Each structure stands twice: as structure tokens, then as C-alpha cells.
Amino acid sequence: SRPVSYVGFNMKSNDGKTHDAKIYFGASSDLATDVPGQQVKASKTSSDAIQIIKVGTTQQDILGKKGDNVRIDWGYLYVAQPADQKSMQWISASAKPGTPFPGSAPGGSEVSGQNLVVNTVIPVGAVSQTAVEKLAMLGYDDIYSVQYFKENLKPYWKLDGSTIEKELNVAYKDYASVMNKCDSANRRVYQDALAAGGEEYAKLCAIAYRQAISAHKLVKSPQGDLLFLSKENFSNGSINTVDITYPSAPLFLLYNPDLLKGMLNGIFYYSESGKWVKPFAAHDLGTYPLANGQTYGEDMPVEESGNLVILAGAIARAEGNAEYAKKHWKTLTIWAEYLSREGFDPANQLCTDDFAGHLARNANLSVKAIVALGAYGMMAKMLKDTSADRYLMMAKDMAIRWLALADAGDHYALTFDNKNSWSQKYNLVWDKLLDLNVFPKEVYSKEIAYYLTHQNAYGLPLDSRKTYTKSDWIMWTATLASDQSAFKALIKPIFKYATETPTRVPMSDWHETTNGKQVGFQARSVVGGYFIKTLDKSWHK
């Protein structure tokens, strides 16, 4: 959670001669504002082995804004230099690209204004064919990160009393070891994905990895629980949305289940504290960064209850025990009972694909409820709870009825009442991953064969209503394939989309399969779902 980023420079001569070199590094004060033009103040300081320029808004309205497409404009950006690099730093009112290496440092030690630039010139000295490395650091102290049921929470890194100056100094001292850890993690993530799904799949996971993580904030609740809270970027700005957590989960199940618990803890607290009293799970905890209770205008009862029961089961599978589920067993039981009543043939309601509109008798949402009941039975069995057999049989009986209702010949329908429709049954993947065996394997193979005949240039449509798709769900759907050739055939168009899309934004998970353009959403954590194939391989070695 240390809020420090490194910018490393490696410089060597390309012509065999020796050169006297410098590096110019500019950082805009817009990094500390919501919109350009806000009034900011920048000042020089130093701390131990670090020289610093600090910049932030003059207003400092801490946690004063909420919503989507809103940037932090409280706290301070720190542009830091190791003192032993003997760099020159100054603040200017605007960039001067024509004179990147001025001989003086205008602006003094403190400057106020708009659109300021923090300038750094790092002397490199004589550079020949042996590479010389230099370092810049960017830090951000947000002071308070989120509000959680009316209490402002500090970032996780501050819990032991640390300061941003300490973090910058430690980051400098730890540079080599941190970079080694990063390199090791990069290699592991790529190699794991390569072994699971091939080169194109591995490259997609490499795109997704940091985006999925950085769309969250790490804090600790007043009750002592870890909270890893997502922002629903370029979607609606919700905080800790359950149907954002659900697709994000595979990455965290694979490498750090505690972070997935951090996505669930707040939702469990919301119900268990009595603040949320409905017999199904909430959709969200508020609008980022204010987690004071659900602000989404409509519930998704089957969707969110199913998501949480399945994810509790996935944590149990990842950890080899159901202790986390045991802590929340009463709540999970309430949700499972709700699903047993309302989940099989869902009433007209939204699911996670809410952009596609309301749908009654949604076959894929029914799959989610059935698989969730199977996951509840699995956890009950692990806990030696007497309800285990009843829920496992209930799930299997529902699956048999589902087969009859959803059967549309060579595939299964989008809704039980429309045999001329189809949809990706991505929720089935947890039946496979958790080894529930609720649905016959023939369901997977029939659906995969159908999907392979319905792909467009940039992917498999989400369902028969539109030609757009969700790339995270294609990853889940493809993981149902029993052979690698079918998996790769479904992944290839996503790779084509990722590398050819004309929409230049952080990875969008909602795109058009006919032309590769973004439809909506970007920079969202749901791309953590790309790791589901790697997770499958990890659990079925």
C-alpha cells in the first residue's frame, strides 16, 4: 500500500562517444487536482536522504467530492529526489519546452497558482557505453482515503504512524529489493498465464494485472477488518460494488485471497451491523469515496446474493477450509435461503450486465443461483453442517429442471421463455472450478460448440440481443472449454481487440465485437477476471 512510484532512467551512449548528460523530469500539479485550473500551492522541503517538492490544492476539501470521473483534489503530490543525485528542482507557472535545462531556479521555495509544473533536472555526468541509472520518485499522501459509515479512514500504510516522508526514504533505500520483487512478480504472473492459456492469453493478463489492483484502496475498518474497496471507474462511481468484486475475484483468489476478503468484509458488515436489513445482499457501499451505504437506485437480489455465496465458497476452495465462511455463516444462510426461494426462475430484475436492461427468467442468472446453492452446500460439508446434503441435492435438482427449461436444441437459451435466444453462460465456470458437479459436463461442451459458430472479428457477443460483449465474461466462458484449441479460439478475438481497438483508453471491458471500439467502461478492476483460466489450472494441477 506504500503510495510511492518509481521512475527509473537508464542512460548510455549510442555512438561510442562520451557525453555530459542531464535528465529533465516534469510533473504537473494536475496530478493533485480534479480538473485543470484549480488553485494549487507547491513548496520545497527535504527529509533525511530525500529532497522534495510538495504540491496540492489550496482548498484541501478532504473527502469532499464523490462520483464517477472524479479525481482526488485533496492531499499532496510529492516529487522526490535522492539527495545524493544533487538534482535541481524548481516550480514554474508553466512548462518551458524550449528551455528544458535553465541555468537558474525561478519561483523560489513556495509558489501558488494554477497548472504549475514541478521541474527536476538530474545531472548524469559523463556517459559512455556503460549504462548509468538515475531515479525519480512520485508519492501521494491522501491524508484520509475513504469515509466508512461516517468515519474517515486513513490509508493502510499510515496505520503504524508512518508519514509520507518516511515512506519516501524507505522506498529509496528499498529500491533495488522492490524492483527485484516486481520483476519476480511480473515473471510469475506471465509464466503462470502462459502455462495456463498460451501467449496471447498471457499478454492479456499482463495488460490486466495492475489495472485490476490499482482500482482499489486498502484501509482497515474501525472493527479491525481489512477493506480493499473498489471504485467502479467510468461506470457509475460506486464504491465496493459486489458485481464488480465478483468478476475481479480470480486474480486475488490466485495470488492473495486476503484481498478478496477485503472486498467482502464491508458488505458483510453492512448486513451484520443491521444497517442493511433486506434478506439479500446489497449492491454497493456507496459512491466513491463515501462508503456510507448503498446509493445504487435498484437492488440486484439474485445477482449479489449469488455472487457473495459463490465467492465465500471460492475463498474456502483457495484456503482449503471454510473458516472465513464460518464467521459469516448466519448471513450466508439468509442469502442462500433467499436464493432457494427466488433464484431458480428469476423475476424481472437487473443482473451484473445491467447496461443490457431488465430481464425476467434469465437462464444465466438462474445458473448463478444454482451454483451458489451448490457452493453453500460445499461449505456446509466442510463445516460439517447438517444442511450440506439438502443444499447440494437442491442445486442438482434445480440443474435438472434448468436443463429442460433452457434447452434450445443445439444450445441453451437466454431466457426460459425464448428458445430463439442465446447467451454466454459464464456463471457456469464456478461449477467447474469448485468441482461441484451440479451441471452435466455436456452443458459446457454444447454451449462452447455453439459459441464457436457465433463469434465476430473482435469476440463473442454477450448474448443474442446485441453485438457488443464483455471481455471478462468471454474469459470465463472460454474456461468452460475442455480443450486448449477451443479456449484459444475464443481468446484470440479479445487479443485482436486489445491490440487493434481504435479507442485509446485504459483497457475497457465492454466493447463492440464488429469493430473493436469501446462501448463504455474503462480502467475497471473487473479485468482481474481475465485470470480465471490461470486459477482453473492452479486448482486442477
Side-chain angles (χ1 to χ4, degrees):
S1 71
R2 180 187 296 155
V4 178
S5 295
Y6 299 117
V7 184
F9 303 90
N10 279 282
M11 187 180 289
K12 66 178 181 178
S13 171
N14 288 329
D15 61 7
K17 299 176 183 177
T18 299
H19 301 268
D20 182 25
K22 297 176 183 176
I23 295 163
Y24 172 79
F25 179 68
S28 170
S29 64
D30 290 352
L31 289 168
T33 67
D34 176 22
V35 292
Q38 286 181 263
Q39 193 74 10
V40 294
K41 181 172 71 175
S43 58
K44 289 183 176 181
T45 184
S46 62
S47 173
D48 297 335
I50 303 293
Q51 64 184 63
I52 297 166
I53 290 186
K54 166 185 173 183
V55 60
T57 58
T58 55
Q59 187 178 10
Q60 287 299 304
D61 186 15
I62 296 173
L63 297 169
K65 290 183 177 178
K66 65 177 182 177
D68 197 8
N69 198 10
V70 173
R71 287 141 295 280
I72 190 170
D73 62 357
W74 65 89
Y76 295 91
L77 169 73
Y78 288 73
V79 183
Q81 275 290 292
D84 58 12
Q85 288 189 168
K86 296 182 168 46
S87 302
M88 182 170 63
Q89 288 187 291
W90 73 97
I91 308 145
S92 61
S94 62
K96 298 182 175 64
T99 54
F101 305 120
S104 59
S109 61
E110 187 172 298
V111 176
S112 294
Q114 298 169 315
N115 305 115
L116 301 182
V117 176
V118 179
N119 306 278
T120 301
V121 171
I122 306 169
V124 183
V127 179
S128 60
Q129 289 170 292
T130 302
V132 178
E133 185 175 30
K134 295 293 180 181
L135 180 66
M137 294 187 294
L138 293 173
Y140 205 101
D141 181 2
D142 56 4
I143 304 173
Y144 286 99
S145 298
V146 298
Q147 187 175 97
Y148 183 72
F149 296 102
K150 302 300 183 181
E151 186 166 341
N152 292 353
L153 302 184
K154 293 180 179 179
Y156 190 84
W157 59 271
K158 276 191 173 181
L159 293 181
D160 62 357
S162 188
T163 64
I164 188 66
E165 291 83 6
K166 286 181 182 176
E167 295 299 320
L168 287 163
N169 275 284
V170 174
Y172 175 46
K173 291 171 187 170
D174 287 354
Y175 174 61
S177 63
V178 168
M179 292 307 295
N180 283 335
K181 288 177 182 177
C182 285
D183 290 342
S184 176
N186 290 344
R187 285 193 299 273
R188 180 184 176 192
V189 166
Y190 186 83
Q191 291 300 324
D192 287 353
L194 183 68
E199 185 179 7
E200 291 182 340
Y201 172 69
K203 288 180 176 178
L204 287 165
C205 288
I207 293 172
Y209 178 66
R210 283 174 175 78
Q211 177 172 309
I213 296 168
S214 62
H216 297 83
K217 189 67 187 186
L218 193 66
V219 293
K220 186 173 273 191
S221 77
Q223 295 75 34
D225 293 321
L226 191 72
L227 299 174
F228 194 53
L229 303 174
S230 62
K231 181 179 181 183
E232 196 174 333
N233 296 326
F234 293 88
S235 179
N236 73 348
S238 289
I239 185 169
N240 206 189
T241 306
V242 175
D243 56 290
I244 294 294
T245 294
Y246 178 66
S248 306
L251 170 61
F252 303 98
L253 284 164
L254 186 62
Y255 294 116
N256 195 331
D258 282 343
L259 291 176
L260 179 56
K261 293 176 191 175
M263 297 183 219
L264 306 187
N265 287 336
I267 297 290
F268 278 121
Y269 172 75
Y270 193 16
S271 282
E272 291 162 359
S273 65
K275 301 176 193 299
W276 177 264
V277 295
K278 297 178 182 180
F280 47 79
H283 170 272
D284 61 79
L285 289 183
T287 302
Y288 200 96
L290 307 182
N292 295 323
Q294 179 173 310
T295 51
Y296 194 70
E298 186 173 342
D299 297 328
M300 296 186 192
V302 174
E303 173 70 36
E304 311 305 18
S305 302
N307 290 341
L308 285 156
V309 175
I310 289 169
L311 292 178
I315 289 170
R317 174 66 176 83
E319 296 190 324
N321 64 74
E323 290 306 304
Y324 182 74
K326 186 177 181 180
K327 287 172 57 178
H328 304 289
W329 196 242
K330 182 179 178 182
T331 307
L332 288 167
T333 301
I334 291 169
W335 294 339
E337 288 175 351
Y338 179 84
L339 292 171
S340 73
R341 297 191 305 272
E342 306 291 341
F344 173 69
D345 194 350
N348 191 40
Q349 61 191 277
L350 293 174
C351 70
T352 183
D353 305 318
D354 54 355
F355 51 83
H358 292 75
L359 204 61
R361 314 199 74 188
N362 183 338
N364 187 45
L365 189 58
S366 176
V367 168
K368 177 169 289 182
I370 296 167
V371 171
L373 292 169
Y376 180 86
M378 177 197 79
M379 291 184 286
K381 197 169 186 178
M382 294 171 81
L383 293 171
K384 295 182 171 52
D385 188 284
T386 55
S387 67
D389 289 342
R390 180 167 70 89
Y391 274 94
L392 287 167
M393 285 305 301
M394 184 192 304
K396 290 180 179 180
D397 288 345
M398 283 184 177
I400 292 169
R401 291 162 55 203
W402 185 94
L403 291 173
L405 279 175
D407 190 9
D410 59 353
H411 69 283
Y412 295 93
L414 166 67
T415 59
F416 291 143
D417 55 358
N418 184 1
K419 305 303 182 185
N420 294 317
S421 65
W422 64 272
S423 65
Q424 292 188 46
K425 307 301 189 297
Y426 53 80
N427 288 316
L428 269 172
V429 76
W430 294 105
D431 186 47
K432 180 179 182 181
L433 262 68
L434 298 176
D435 298 308
L436 298 175
N437 298 312
V438 169
F439 285 86
K441 298 295 185 289
E442 293 75 24
V443 178
Y444 307 174
S445 55
K446 182 189 284 193
E447 286 289 281
I448 291 294
Y450 188 81
Y451 299 148
L452 289 171
T453 65
H454 283 71
Q455 293 199 98
N456 291 326
Y458 294 96
L460 175 69
L462 182 65
D463 58 48
S464 51
R465 291 174 291 177
K466 301 280 186 179
T467 53
Y468 59 55
T469 196
K470 290 279 274 89
S471 55
D472 49 340
W473 295 148
I474 293 177
M475 292 286 192
W476 291 32
T477 295
T479 301
L480 291 168
S482 59
D483 63 274
Q484 286 292 81
S485 61
F487 173 81
K488 290 180 178 180
L490 289 162
I491 296 306
K492 195 173 189 66
I494 309 177
F495 183 76
K496 180 178 172 69
Y497 152 68
T499 52
E500 294 182 9
T501 175
T503 317
R504 311 314 297 170
V505 298
M507 187 69 166
S508 170
D509 53 286
W510 182 18
H511 72 271
E512 176 54 62
T513 63
T514 58
N515 58 23
K517 291 182 178 179
Q518 172 196 29
V519 177
F521 307 157
Q522 66 196 50
R524 301 205 309 167
S525 67
V526 301
V527 295
Y530 286 15
F531 285 81
I532 197 150
K533 179 68 171 176
T534 315
L535 181 66
D536 181 34
K537 183 173 176 61
S538 173
W539 285 359
H540 298 106
K541 292 176 181 174

